[in-house]
Amino acid sequence: VENPDTNVETTDGKGWGAAAPSKSGEGKGLLSARGKKTVHKEVLNTPDEESALEVIPGEYSVDDKILFYKERECLLLLLEARKLLSSMVTRKEIEMDKAVREKRRREKEAKERSGRLTVQEIMDILQNSQEEDDYDMVSEIQELKKQLIISMRQNHKLERDLAKLDKRIALLIKNRTNIQEVLAAS
């Protein structure tokens, strides 16, 4: 099949595999086989032409080598951008984790300062403190418990005594009224 635009013979298919590399190396090859008249002027008139000719091996046309070189440069830029994006995402994740941990730490400190702790949190605090302090705190807590129990028993005893005194006072007031009535009647 003859391609009228480029005067290059192509096979049945279109695309990169449609034509063999050009033997002459100038103006014919894969680009020509794809039906392109010419490569963009930016590609043809670049200082990368020498680099492209050195870097891309094989029997491809100058246009094809320049195109391959440009594609390779684009892919390298894309790879670099992906790496940069990945590092940015990782850094942002680390910052977010740090912010979450800091927020939880501040909330925990505020909770400890206000005294709104659960039994489990108190046990954790006691377990994480130094051993010497643990012994002092445990013995102090036990002493306070004993004092609390003694105070509760004393309060209960005083309440019972108060109730007995209230009954006696009520009986005395009642008896006084009865004695005054008896004296007044006689």
Side-chain angles (χ1 to χ4, degrees):
V1 175
E2 183 86 17
N3 189 339
D5 293 336
T6 60
N7 295 327
V8 175
E9 291 185 20
T10 61
T11 58
D12 294 340
K14 297 220 180 215
W16 290 104
S22 168
K23 300 281 184 195
S24 66
E26 195 70 42
K28 295 181 181 179
L30 296 180
L31 281 177
S32 303
R34 288 183 25 214
K36 304 286 183 182
K37 290 183 183 179
T38 59
V39 180
H40 295 291
K41 291 182 181 178
E42 302 97 24
V43 174
L44 287 177
N45 299 325
T46 61
D48 294 334
E49 183 174 326
E50 294 174 9
S51 301
L53 293 175
E54 294 173 6
V55 173
I56 306 295
E59 297 180 12
Y60 297 103
S61 69
V62 173
D63 295 342
D64 290 342
K65 286 185 178 186
I66 291 172
L67 182 64
F68 291 152
Y69 184 76
K70 292 287 186 180
E71 286 178 353
R72 189 181 101 184
E73 292 297 315
C74 288
L75 289 173
L76 289 173
L77 283 173
L78 180 62
L79 178 63
E80 187 177 332
R82 283 187 173 199
K83 285 182 178 180
L84 181 62
L85 181 63
S86 175
S87 68
M88 290 170 63
V89 166
T90 303
R91 185 175 28 176
K92 188 66 174 176
E93 287 174 347
I94 291 170
E95 288 175 4
M96 292 299 291
D97 287 344
K98 187 185 286 185
V100 167
R101 277 188 259 117
E102 181 64 24
K103 181 180 177 185
R104 287 181 183 160
R105 185 188 61 79
R106 282 191 309 246
E107 288 174 352
K108 184 178 177 184
E109 287 177 357
K111 198 173 183 183
E112 287 176 3
R113 279 193 302 263
S114 67
R116 295 177 293 135
L117 298 173
T118 63
V119 174
Q120 182 64 38
E121 291 170 337
I122 293 171
M123 288 177 57
D124 290 341
I125 290 172
L126 290 175
Q127 289 175 353
N128 293 335
S129 64
Q130 297 175 355
E131 292 297 320
E132 191 173 300
D133 291 340
D134 285 347
Y135 179 73
D136 292 340
M137 290 178 73
V138 169
S139 63
E140 184 178 345
I141 290 173
Q142 288 175 346
E143 184 63 33
L144 290 172
K145 280 183 181 179
K146 288 178 186 177
Q147 290 176 0
L148 179 65
I149 291 171
I150 291 170
S151 297
M152 287 173 61
R153 287 181 183 160
Q154 288 175 347
N155 284 343
H156 185 66
K157 183 179 177 186
L158 290 173
E159 285 176 3
R160 280 192 317 214
D161 291 343
L162 182 63
K164 285 180 185 178
L165 288 174
D166 281 344
K167 285 182 184 178
R168 287 182 184 166
I169 291 172
L171 287 173
L172 287 173
I173 292 173
K174 185 178 179 183
N175 284 339
R176 181 174 168 217
T177 309
N178 289 341
I179 292 175
Q180 287 177 353
E181 286 175 4
V182 171
L183 291 176
S186 51

